[in-house]
Amino acid sequence: MIIDWLTGTAFQVAGAGTTWAELLGFVTGGLNVWLVARQKIANWPIGIANVLLLLLLFWTAGLYADAGLQVVYVALGCYGWWHWLFGGERRSRLLVSRTGRREWLVLLVVGVLLTGGLWALLDRATDSTVPLPDALTTVLSLLATYGQTRKRVESWWLWIAADLIYIPLYAYKGLHLTAVLYLVFLALCVLGLRAWRADLRRIDRPTPVPPGPAPVTA
């Protein structure tokens, strides 16, 4: 079966087995973030394939919140795919934008409530050994993905915060290749942030007005 092959050992890293799912997740994950940074629409189907691989990987590692998060990512991936194509003015391609104050407030409230609720659920209903970091990274990733679907430049800061927690968390759980992948993600997120901010500056730059008298309006 394909699941048996994906959960089989591809090679050893630091004495721990690395599965084919983790290896393929490494490749598709890195490609996905690179495509997002370049605002390529192909990031969405690649990203959907990536999260399906990670769902299998995280479930077998006992990271249940992260595993459940991948199901939500599939739905967000489909939404983001559509929104990048038709979410701009007059159903045009979406442009990079900033997160407004009201939107930040909503994200903060939702983030705190979700983190607290998920932390309690994981602590009481599962055998998770890392309920708080699992809950926190799950919520940060959800909020970052929401921002990504709407091309909010600040979504990169949320990804950076999540990656800084993910890297030691995955190393602790023995997912060494995935920890390295998230180190690559961190570097790509910094590059993506710079690229999107540069694009935003181009959008915000006023159109130069040619010299001469103002046009006469009727």
Side-chain angles (χ1 to χ4, degrees):
M1 291 178 60
I2 186 66
I3 293 180
D4 293 333
W5 178 75
L6 288 171
T7 55
T9 301
F11 55 87
Q12 298 279 331
V13 175
T18 298
T19 65
W20 286 105
E22 187 174 3
L23 177 60
L24 293 173
F26 182 102
V27 174
T28 56
L31 178 60
N32 172 242
V33 178
W34 181 78
L35 289 170
V36 174
R38 295 176 61 84
Q39 299 186 51
K40 300 296 185 183
I41 202 70
N43 87 84
W44 295 108
I46 296 294
I48 291 171
N50 174 252
V51 299
L52 291 175
L53 289 166
L54 293 181
L55 187 155
L56 179 62
L57 175 67
F58 294 151
W59 186 266
T60 56
L63 293 168
Y64 304 114
D66 275 337
L69 176 62
Q70 308 312 308
V71 178
V72 180
Y73 276 161
V74 172
L76 285 173
C78 294
Y79 169 75
W81 196 348
W82 179 88
H83 203 256
W84 274 36
L85 285 172
F86 307 112
E89 293 185 8
R90 299 181 181 180
R91 298 179 67 83
S92 62
R93 285 211 171 196
L94 191 64
L95 299 177
V96 176
S97 60
R98 294 185 176 88
T99 306
R101 290 185 179 181
R102 181 176 296 180
E103 194 173 14
W104 268 125
L105 179 61
V106 172
L107 291 176
L108 177 62
V109 172
V110 170
V112 171
L113 292 177
L114 279 179
T115 301
L118 191 53
W119 179 16
L121 177 65
L122 291 171
D123 188 48
R124 299 175 184 176
T126 74
D127 59 354
S128 174
T129 58
V130 286
L132 178 56
D134 195 6
L136 181 57
T137 51
T138 295
V139 174
L140 281 173
S141 299
L142 278 172
L143 298 181
T145 303
Y146 161 79
Q148 182 182 315
T149 65
R150 305 188 69 82
K151 279 197 180 180
R152 302 296 196 226
V153 69
E154 294 83 5
S155 64
W156 289 110
W157 287 113
L158 295 175
W159 278 125
I160 289 169
D163 289 346
L164 289 172
I165 303 171
Y166 272 130
I167 292 166
L169 175 62
Y170 290 147
Y172 172 75
K173 295 296 289 186
L175 301 173
H176 302 291
L177 186 60
T178 301
V180 173
L181 171 63
Y182 274 76
L183 188 60
V184 175
F185 281 175
L186 182 59
L188 289 173
C189 284
V190 173
L191 294 177
L193 175 63
R194 293 180 62 185
W196 281 31
R197 289 176 69 178
D199 196 45
L200 189 60
R201 286 194 294 270
R202 285 193 294 270
I203 294 171
D204 290 344
R205 187 178 299 136
T207 303
V209 178
V216 177
T217 58

